[in-house]
Amino acid sequence: MKSLIPYLVFSGNCKEAMEFYANVLNGAITSLTTFGTSPIEVSPELNNRIFDCELEAEKIHFKASDDLPNHSVKSGNNFSLFVSFSENKEKENVFIKLSQGGKVLFPLDDNFGMLKDKFGIQWMIVSDKD
């Protein structure tokens, strides 16, 4: 495993929230991608919503995005643990084990999978290979 990062999800105000956190924590937004420039297709009115954003402030590091209408969030289900793997076999094994007794939200493909484990914790499992 390479890293474990908290991942927050907002209801349309991700950019505002991340700018606020960067200011409060004396950090910086190190990457920001909108849905309009992301690899997934969305309706034009969602193009400016945040697909992925990353903030770093000394030893603090977390990611965030806006939700989508068919995956809306509310307080309590608006965060995940984001785990990056360099080995596909390890990534697949962890995904399978975490999903036992839980619910797969997005099936694991070459780059991404998401699940809620049997304790209600959401996990994003990704490959760090390009």
Side-chain angles (χ1 to χ4, degrees), residues 57-78:
E58 295 182 26
K59 293 184 180 182
I60 297 170
H61 180 204
F62 59 95
K63 296 172 74 73
S65 68
D66 281 317
D67 62 359
L68 288 171
N70 55 343
H71 296 284
S72 60
V73 296
K74 61 182 179 182
S75 183
N77 76 347
N78 60 334

mmCIF file with all atom_site columns, all heavy atoms in Angstrom, residues 57-78:
data_model
loop_
_atom_site.group_PDB
_atom_site.id
_atom_site.type_symbol
_atom_site.label_atom_id
_atom_site.label_alt_id
_atom_site.label_comp_id
_atom_site.label_asym_id
_atom_site.label_entity_id
_atom_site.label_seq_id
_atom_site.pdbx_PDB_ins_code
_atom_site.Cartn_x
_atom_site.Cartn_y
_atom_site.Cartn_z
_atom_site.occupancy
_atom_site.B_iso_or_equiv
_atom_site.pdbx_formal_charge
_atom_site.auth_seq_id
_atom_site.auth_comp_id
_atom_site.auth_asym_id
_atom_site.auth_atom_id
_atom_site.pdbx_PDB_model_num
ATOM 1   N N   . ALA A 1 57 ? -1.095  20.784 3.556   1.00 0.00 ? 57 ALA A N   1
ATOM 2   C CA  . ALA A 1 57 ? -0.665  21.795 4.518   1.00 0.00 ? 57 ALA A CA  1
ATOM 3   C C   . ALA A 1 57 ? 0.270   21.105 5.503   1.00 0.00 ? 57 ALA A C   1
ATOM 4   O O   . ALA A 1 57 ? -0.191  20.388 6.391   1.00 0.00 ? 57 ALA A O   1
ATOM 5   C CB  . ALA A 1 57 ? -1.857  22.409 5.246   1.00 0.00 ? 57 ALA A CB  1
ATOM 6   N N   . GLU A 1 58 ? 1.563   21.268 5.302   1.00 0.00 ? 58 GLU A N   1
ATOM 7   C CA  . GLU A 1 58 ? 2.572   20.553 6.083   1.00 0.00 ? 58 GLU A CA  1
ATOM 8   C C   . GLU A 1 58 ? 2.281   19.059 6.042   1.00 0.00 ? 58 GLU A C   1
ATOM 9   O O   . GLU A 1 58 ? 2.272   18.480 4.970   1.00 0.00 ? 58 GLU A O   1
ATOM 10  C CB  . GLU A 1 58 ? 2.672   21.110 7.503   1.00 0.00 ? 58 GLU A CB  1
ATOM 11  C CG  . GLU A 1 58 ? 3.175   22.546 7.535   1.00 0.00 ? 58 GLU A CG  1
ATOM 12  C CD  . GLU A 1 58 ? 3.312   23.087 8.928   1.00 0.00 ? 58 GLU A CD  1
ATOM 13  O OE1 . GLU A 1 58 ? 3.501   22.311 9.878   1.00 0.00 ? 58 GLU A OE1 1
ATOM 14  O OE2 . GLU A 1 58 ? 3.237   24.328 9.066   1.00 0.00 ? 58 GLU A OE2 1
ATOM 15  N N   . LYS A 1 59 ? 1.982   18.423 7.174   1.00 0.00 ? 59 LYS A N   1
ATOM 16  C CA  . LYS A 1 59 ? 1.730   16.978 7.186   1.00 0.00 ? 59 LYS A CA  1
ATOM 17  C C   . LYS A 1 59 ? 0.257   16.630 6.970   1.00 0.00 ? 59 LYS A C   1
ATOM 18  O O   . LYS A 1 59 ? -0.114  15.456 7.028   1.00 0.00 ? 59 LYS A O   1
ATOM 19  C CB  . LYS A 1 59 ? 2.236   16.366 8.489   1.00 0.00 ? 59 LYS A CB  1
ATOM 20  C CG  . LYS A 1 59 ? 3.738   16.414 8.607   1.00 0.00 ? 59 LYS A CG  1
ATOM 21  C CD  . LYS A 1 59 ? 4.202   15.706 9.859   1.00 0.00 ? 59 LYS A CD  1
ATOM 22  C CE  . LYS A 1 59 ? 5.716   15.763 9.958   1.00 0.00 ? 59 LYS A CE  1
ATOM 23  N NZ  . LYS A 1 59 ? 6.206   15.057 11.134  1.00 0.00 ? 59 LYS A NZ  1
ATOM 24  N N   . ILE A 1 60 ? -0.588  17.611 6.729   1.00 0.00 ? 60 ILE A N   1
ATOM 25  C CA  . ILE A 1 60 ? -2.010  17.382 6.465   1.00 0.00 ? 60 ILE A CA  1
ATOM 26  C C   . ILE A 1 60 ? -2.197  17.219 4.959   1.00 0.00 ? 60 ILE A C   1
ATOM 27  O O   . ILE A 1 60 ? -1.706  18.019 4.163   1.00 0.00 ? 60 ILE A O   1
ATOM 28  C CB  . ILE A 1 60 ? -2.859  18.559 6.982   1.00 0.00 ? 60 ILE A CB  1
ATOM 29  C CG1 . ILE A 1 60 ? -2.717  18.665 8.494   1.00 0.00 ? 60 ILE A CG1 1
ATOM 30  C CG2 . ILE A 1 60 ? -4.312  18.394 6.565   1.00 0.00 ? 60 ILE A CG2 1
ATOM 31  C CD1 . ILE A 1 60 ? -3.325  19.924 9.070   1.00 0.00 ? 60 ILE A CD1 1
ATOM 32  N N   . HIS A 1 61 ? -2.920  16.173 4.582   1.00 0.00 ? 61 HIS A N   1
ATOM 33  C CA  . HIS A 1 61 ? -3.165  15.899 3.174   1.00 0.00 ? 61 HIS A CA  1
ATOM 34  C C   . HIS A 1 61 ? -4.532  15.242 3.058   1.00 0.00 ? 61 HIS A C   1
ATOM 35  O O   . HIS A 1 61 ? -4.791  14.231 3.710   1.00 0.00 ? 61 HIS A O   1
ATOM 36  C CB  . HIS A 1 61 ? -2.071  14.962 2.644   1.00 0.00 ? 61 HIS A CB  1
ATOM 37  C CG  . HIS A 1 61 ? -2.211  14.605 1.207   1.00 0.00 ? 61 HIS A CG  1
ATOM 38  N ND1 . HIS A 1 61 ? -1.673  13.462 0.703   1.00 0.00 ? 61 HIS A ND1 1
ATOM 39  C CD2 . HIS A 1 61 ? -2.801  15.215 0.175   1.00 0.00 ? 61 HIS A CD2 1
ATOM 40  C CE1 . HIS A 1 61 ? -1.923  13.385 -0.586  1.00 0.00 ? 61 HIS A CE1 1
ATOM 41  N NE2 . HIS A 1 61 ? -2.620  14.445 -0.922  1.00 0.00 ? 61 HIS A NE2 1
ATOM 42  N N   . PHE A 1 62 ? -5.430  15.822 2.254   1.00 0.00 ? 62 PHE A N   1
ATOM 43  C CA  . PHE A 1 62 ? -6.704  15.167 1.992   1.00 0.00 ? 62 PHE A CA  1
ATOM 44  C C   . PHE A 1 62 ? -7.234  15.566 0.634   1.00 0.00 ? 62 PHE A C   1
ATOM 45  O O   . PHE A 1 62 ? -6.749  16.505 0.012   1.00 0.00 ? 62 PHE A O   1
ATOM 46  C CB  . PHE A 1 62 ? -7.736  15.403 3.104   1.00 0.00 ? 62 PHE A CB  1
ATOM 47  C CG  . PHE A 1 62 ? -8.099  16.828 3.398   1.00 0.00 ? 62 PHE A CG  1
ATOM 48  C CD1 . PHE A 1 62 ? -9.207  17.410 2.815   1.00 0.00 ? 62 PHE A CD1 1
ATOM 49  C CD2 . PHE A 1 62 ? -7.355  17.567 4.307   1.00 0.00 ? 62 PHE A CD2 1
ATOM 50  C CE1 . PHE A 1 62 ? -9.557  18.720 3.117   1.00 0.00 ? 62 PHE A CE1 1
ATOM 51  C CE2 . PHE A 1 62 ? -7.701  18.860 4.623   1.00 0.00 ? 62 PHE A CE2 1
ATOM 52  C CZ  . PHE A 1 62 ? -8.809  19.453 4.014   1.00 0.00 ? 62 PHE A CZ  1
ATOM 53  N N   . LYS A 1 63 ? -8.211  14.796 0.171   1.00 0.00 ? 63 LYS A N   1
ATOM 54  C CA  . LYS A 1 63 ? -8.810  14.990 -1.142  1.00 0.00 ? 63 LYS A CA  1
ATOM 55  C C   . LYS A 1 63 ? -10.294 15.261 -0.959  1.00 0.00 ? 63 LYS A C   1
ATOM 56  O O   . LYS A 1 63 ? -10.859 14.951 0.090   1.00 0.00 ? 63 LYS A O   1
ATOM 57  C CB  . LYS A 1 63 ? -8.611  13.742 -2.006  1.00 0.00 ? 63 LYS A CB  1
ATOM 58  C CG  . LYS A 1 63 ? -7.154  13.444 -2.320  1.00 0.00 ? 63 LYS A CG  1
ATOM 59  C CD  . LYS A 1 63 ? -6.968  12.119 -3.012  1.00 0.00 ? 63 LYS A CD  1
ATOM 60  C CE  . LYS A 1 63 ? -7.393  12.074 -4.437  1.00 0.00 ? 63 LYS A CE  1
ATOM 61  N NZ  . LYS A 1 63 ? -6.554  12.747 -5.417  1.00 0.00 ? 63 LYS A NZ  1
ATOM 62  N N   . ALA A 1 64 ? -10.917 15.798 -2.005  1.00 0.00 ? 64 ALA A N   1
ATOM 63  C CA  . ALA A 1 64 ? -12.350 16.086 -1.944  1.00 0.00 ? 64 ALA A CA  1
ATOM 64  C C   . ALA A 1 64 ? -12.931 16.186 -3.342  1.00 0.00 ? 64 ALA A C   1
ATOM 65  O O   . ALA A 1 64 ? -12.200 16.315 -4.330  1.00 0.00 ? 64 ALA A O   1
ATOM 66  C CB  . ALA A 1 64 ? -12.597 17.388 -1.185  1.00 0.00 ? 64 ALA A CB  1
ATOM 67  N N   . SER A 1 65 ? -14.258 16.161 -3.409  1.00 0.00 ? 65 SER A N   1
ATOM 68  C CA  . SER A 1 65 ? -14.980 16.351 -4.661  1.00 0.00 ? 65 SER A CA  1
ATOM 69  C C   . SER A 1 65 ? -16.402 16.788 -4.346  1.00 0.00 ? 65 SER A C   1
ATOM 70  O O   . SER A 1 65 ? -16.828 16.772 -3.196  1.00 0.00 ? 65 SER A O   1
ATOM 71  C CB  . SER A 1 65 ? -15.009 15.060 -5.486  1.00 0.00 ? 65 SER A CB  1
ATOM 72  O OG  . SER A 1 65 ? -15.799 14.083 -4.844  1.00 0.00 ? 65 SER A OG  1
ATOM 73  N N   . ASP A 1 66 ? -17.127 17.166 -5.397  1.00 0.00 ? 66 ASP A N   1
ATOM 74  C CA  . ASP A 1 66 ? -18.556 17.394 -5.271  1.00 0.00 ? 66 ASP A CA  1
ATOM 75  C C   . ASP A 1 66 ? -19.278 16.091 -5.588  1.00 0.00 ? 66 ASP A C   1
ATOM 76  O O   . ASP A 1 66 ? -18.754 15.225 -6.301  1.00 0.00 ? 66 ASP A O   1
ATOM 77  C CB  . ASP A 1 66 ? -19.019 18.479 -6.259  1.00 0.00 ? 66 ASP A CB  1
ATOM 78  C CG  . ASP A 1 66 ? -18.697 19.882 -5.782  1.00 0.00 ? 66 ASP A CG  1
ATOM 79  O OD1 . ASP A 1 66 ? -18.904 20.157 -4.588  1.00 0.00 ? 66 ASP A OD1 1
ATOM 80  O OD2 . ASP A 1 66 ? -18.232 20.691 -6.601  1.00 0.00 ? 66 ASP A OD2 1
ATOM 81  N N   . ASP A 1 67 ? -20.497 15.948 -5.083  1.00 0.00 ? 67 ASP A N   1
ATOM 82  C CA  . ASP A 1 67 ? -21.287 14.764 -5.377  1.00 0.00 ? 67 ASP A CA  1
ATOM 83  C C   . ASP A 1 67 ? -21.959 14.899 -6.738  1.00 0.00 ? 67 ASP A C   1
ATOM 84  O O   . ASP A 1 67 ? -21.883 15.945 -7.388  1.00 0.00 ? 67 ASP A O   1
ATOM 85  C CB  . ASP A 1 67 ? -22.317 14.511 -4.280  1.00 0.00 ? 67 ASP A CB  1
ATOM 86  C CG  . ASP A 1 67 ? -23.342 15.637 -4.128  1.00 0.00 ? 67 ASP A CG  1
ATOM 87  O OD1 . ASP A 1 67 ? -23.267 16.651 -4.851  1.00 0.00 ? 67 ASP A OD1 1
ATOM 88  O OD2 . ASP A 1 67 ? -24.221 15.510 -3.259  1.00 0.00 ? 67 ASP A OD2 1
ATOM 89  N N   . LEU A 1 68 ? -22.586 13.841 -7.167  1.00 0.00 ? 68 LEU A N   1
ATOM 90  C CA  . LEU A 1 68 ? -23.392 13.827 -8.382  1.00 0.00 ? 68 LEU A CA  1
ATOM 91  C C   . LEU A 1 68 ? -24.846 13.611 -7.989  1.00 0.00 ? 68 LEU A C   1
ATOM 92  O O   . LEU A 1 68 ? -25.118 13.008 -6.937  1.00 0.00 ? 68 LEU A O   1
ATOM 93  C CB  . LEU A 1 68 ? -22.935 12.713 -9.317  1.00 0.00 ? 68 LEU A CB  1
ATOM 94  C CG  . LEU A 1 68 ? -21.593 12.943 -9.997  1.00 0.00 ? 68 LEU A CG  1
ATOM 95  C CD1 . LEU A 1 68 ? -21.136 11.685 -10.722 1.00 0.00 ? 68 LEU A CD1 1
ATOM 96  C CD2 . LEU A 1 68 ? -21.689 14.098 -10.977 1.00 0.00 ? 68 LEU A CD2 1
ATOM 97  N N   . PRO A 1 69 ? -25.802 14.055 -8.802  1.00 0.00 ? 69 PRO A N   1
ATOM 98  C CA  . PRO A 1 69 ? -27.213 13.910 -8.435  1.00 0.00 ? 69 PRO A CA  1
ATOM 99  C C   . PRO A 1 69 ? -27.617 12.483 -8.077  1.00 0.00 ? 69 PRO A C   1
ATOM 100 O O   . PRO A 1 69 ? -28.390 12.268 -7.164  1.00 0.00 ? 69 PRO A O   1
ATOM 101 C CB  . PRO A 1 69 ? -27.950 14.392 -9.686  1.00 0.00 ? 69 PRO A CB  1
ATOM 102 C CG  . PRO A 1 69 ? -26.997 15.345 -10.327 1.00 0.00 ? 69 PRO A CG  1
ATOM 103 C CD  . PRO A 1 69 ? -25.625 14.778 -10.051 1.00 0.00 ? 69 PRO A CD  1
ATOM 104 N N   . ASN A 1 70 ? -27.083 11.484 -8.765  1.00 0.00 ? 70 ASN A N   1
ATOM 105 C CA  . ASN A 1 70 ? -27.469 10.111 -8.465  1.00 0.00 ? 70 ASN A CA  1
ATOM 106 C C   . ASN A 1 70 ? -26.627 9.493  -7.346  1.00 0.00 ? 70 ASN A C   1
ATOM 107 O O   . ASN A 1 70 ? -26.789 8.328  -7.020  1.00 0.00 ? 70 ASN A O   1
ATOM 108 C CB  . ASN A 1 70 ? -27.424 9.239  -9.723  1.00 0.00 ? 70 ASN A CB  1
ATOM 109 C CG  . ASN A 1 70 ? -26.073 9.280  -10.410 1.00 0.00 ? 70 ASN A CG  1
ATOM 110 O OD1 . ASN A 1 70 ? -25.263 10.171 -10.162 1.00 0.00 ? 70 ASN A OD1 1
ATOM 111 N ND2 . ASN A 1 70 ? -25.823 8.331  -11.281 1.00 0.00 ? 70 ASN A ND2 1
ATOM 112 N N   . HIS A 1 71 ? -25.717 10.270 -6.767  1.00 0.00 ? 71 HIS A N   1
ATOM 113 C CA  . HIS A 1 71 ? -24.895 9.829  -5.633  1.00 0.00 ? 71 HIS A CA  1
ATOM 114 C C   . HIS A 1 71 ? -24.777 10.960 -4.613  1.00 0.00 ? 71 HIS A C   1
ATOM 115 O O   . HIS A 1 71 ? -23.698 11.285 -4.150  1.00 0.00 ? 71 HIS A O   1
ATOM 116 C CB  . HIS A 1 71 ? -23.501 9.405  -6.108  1.00 0.00 ? 71 HIS A CB  1
ATOM 117 C CG  . HIS A 1 71 ? -23.515 8.231  -7.008  1.00 0.00 ? 71 HIS A CG  1
ATOM 118 N ND1 . HIS A 1 71 ? -23.704 6.951  -6.543  1.00 0.00 ? 71 HIS A ND1 1
ATOM 119 C CD2 . HIS A 1 71 ? -23.396 8.128  -8.344  1.00 0.00 ? 71 HIS A CD2 1
ATOM 120 C CE1 . HIS A 1 71 ? -23.686 6.114  -7.564  1.00 0.00 ? 71 HIS A CE1 1
ATOM 121 N NE2 . HIS A 1 71 ? -23.502 6.798  -8.664  1.00 0.00 ? 71 HIS A NE2 1
ATOM 122 N N   . SER A 1 72 ? -25.906 11.567 -4.284  1.00 0.00 ? 72 SER A N   1
ATOM 123 C CA  . SER A 1 72 ? -25.874 12.714 -3.385  1.00 0.00 ? 72 SER A CA  1
ATOM 124 C C   . SER A 1 72 ? -25.444 12.285 -1.979  1.00 0.00 ? 72 SER A C   1
ATOM 125 O O   . SER A 1 72 ? -25.614 11.138 -1.579  1.00 0.00 ? 72 SER A O   1
ATOM 126 C CB  . SER A 1 72 ? -27.228 13.420 -3.348  1.00 0.00 ? 72 SER A CB  1
ATOM 127 O OG  . SER A 1 72 ? -28.216 12.542 -2.891  1.00 0.00 ? 72 SER A OG  1
ATOM 128 N N   . VAL A 1 73 ? -24.880 13.235 -1.271  1.00 0.00 ? 73 VAL A N   1
ATOM 129 C CA  . VAL A 1 73 ? -24.375 12.969 0.074   1.00 0.00 ? 73 VAL A CA  1
ATOM 130 C C   . VAL A 1 73 ? -25.081 13.854 1.091   1.00 0.00 ? 73 VAL A C   1
ATOM 131 O O   . VAL A 1 73 ? -25.694 14.854 0.748   1.00 0.00 ? 73 VAL A O   1
ATOM 132 C CB  . VAL A 1 73 ? -22.848 13.213 0.171   1.00 0.00 ? 73 VAL A CB  1
ATOM 133 C CG1 . VAL A 1 73 ? -22.085 12.257 -0.706  1.00 0.00 ? 73 VAL A CG1 1
ATOM 134 C CG2 . VAL A 1 73 ? -22.498 14.645 -0.142  1.00 0.00 ? 73 VAL A CG2 1
ATOM 135 N N   . LYS A 1 74 ? -24.968 13.432 2.331   1.00 0.00 ? 74 LYS A N   1
ATOM 136 C CA  . LYS A 1 74 ? -25.424 14.242 3.445   1.00 0.00 ? 74 LYS A CA  1
ATOM 137 C C   . LYS A 1 74 ? -24.416 14.040 4.560   1.00 0.00 ? 74 LYS A C   1
ATOM 138 O O   . LYS A 1 74 ? -23.582 13.122 4.507   1.00 0.00 ? 74 LYS A O   1
ATOM 139 C CB  . LYS A 1 74 ? -26.830 13.844 3.883   1.00 0.00 ? 74 LYS A CB  1
ATOM 140 C CG  . LYS A 1 74 ? -26.937 12.414 4.344   1.00 0.00 ? 74 LYS A CG  1
ATOM 141 C CD  . LYS A 1 74 ? -28.353 12.065 4.714   1.00 0.00 ? 74 LYS A CD  1
ATOM 142 C CE  . LYS A 1 74 ? -28.372 10.588 5.147   1.00 0.00 ? 74 LYS A CE  1
ATOM 143 N NZ  . LYS A 1 74 ? -29.669 10.134 5.486   1.00 0.00 ? 74 LYS A NZ  1
ATOM 144 N N   . SER A 1 75 ? -24.461 14.876 5.543   1.00 0.00 ? 75 SER A N   1
ATOM 145 C CA  . SER A 1 75 ? -23.530 14.762 6.659   1.00 0.00 ? 75 SER A CA  1
ATOM 146 C C   . SER A 1 75 ? -23.587 13.352 7.229   1.00 0.00 ? 75 SER A C   1
ATOM 147 O O   . SER A 1 75 ? -24.663 12.840 7.518   1.00 0.00 ? 75 SER A O   1
ATOM 148 C CB  . SER A 1 75 ? -23.882 15.794 7.727   1.00 0.00 ? 75 SER A CB  1
ATOM 149 O OG  . SER A 1 75 ? -22.951 15.744 8.768   1.00 0.00 ? 75 SER A OG  1
ATOM 150 N N   . GLY A 1 76 ? -22.440 12.715 7.351   1.00 0.00 ? 76 GLY A N   1
ATOM 151 C CA  . GLY A 1 76 ? -22.375 11.351 7.853   1.00 0.00 ? 76 GLY A CA  1
ATOM 152 C C   . GLY A 1 76 ? -21.975 10.352 6.788   1.00 0.00 ? 76 GLY A C   1
ATOM 153 O O   . GLY A 1 76 ? -21.351 9.343  7.079   1.00 0.00 ? 76 GLY A O   1
ATOM 154 N N   . ASN A 1 77 ? -22.332 10.617 5.520   1.00 0.00 ? 77 ASN A N   1
ATOM 155 C CA  . ASN A 1 77 ? -21.881 9.722  4.451   1.00 0.00 ? 77 ASN A CA  1
ATOM 156 C C   . ASN A 1 77 ? -21.061 10.493 3.421   1.00 0.00 ? 77 ASN A C   1
ATOM 157 O O   . ASN A 1 77 ? -20.931 10.077 2.284   1.00 0.00 ? 77 ASN A O   1
ATOM 158 C CB  . ASN A 1 77 ? -23.047 8.972  3.795   1.00 0.00 ? 77 ASN A CB  1
ATOM 159 C CG  . ASN A 1 77 ? -23.869 9.819  2.841   1.00 0.00 ? 77 ASN A CG  1
ATOM 160 O OD1 . ASN A 1 77 ? -23.769 11.039 2.798   1.00 0.00 ? 77 ASN A OD1 1
ATOM 161 N ND2 . ASN A 1 77 ? -24.710 9.169  2.066   1.00 0.00 ? 77 ASN A ND2 1
ATOM 162 N N   . ASN A 1 78 ? -20.489 11.608 3.849   1.00 0.00 ? 78 ASN A N   1
ATOM 163 C CA  . ASN A 1 78 ? -19.766 12.465 2.912   1.00 0.00 ? 78 ASN A CA  1
ATOM 164 C C   . ASN A 1 78 ? -18.250 12.346 3.048   1.00 0.00 ? 78 ASN A C   1
ATOM 165 O O   . ASN A 1 78 ? -17.530 13.286 2.767   1.00 0.00 ? 78 ASN A O   1
ATOM 166 C CB  . ASN A 1 78 ? -20.208 13.917 3.061   1.00 0.00 ? 78 ASN A CB  1
ATOM 167 C CG  . ASN A 1 78 ? -19.958 14.466 4.449   1.00 0.00 ? 78 ASN A CG  1
ATOM 168 O OD1 . ASN A 1 78 ? -19.912 13.727 5.415   1.00 0.00 ? 78 ASN A OD1 1
ATOM 169 N ND2 . ASN A 1 78 ? -19.804 15.761 4.551   1.00 0.00 ? 78 ASN A ND2 1
#
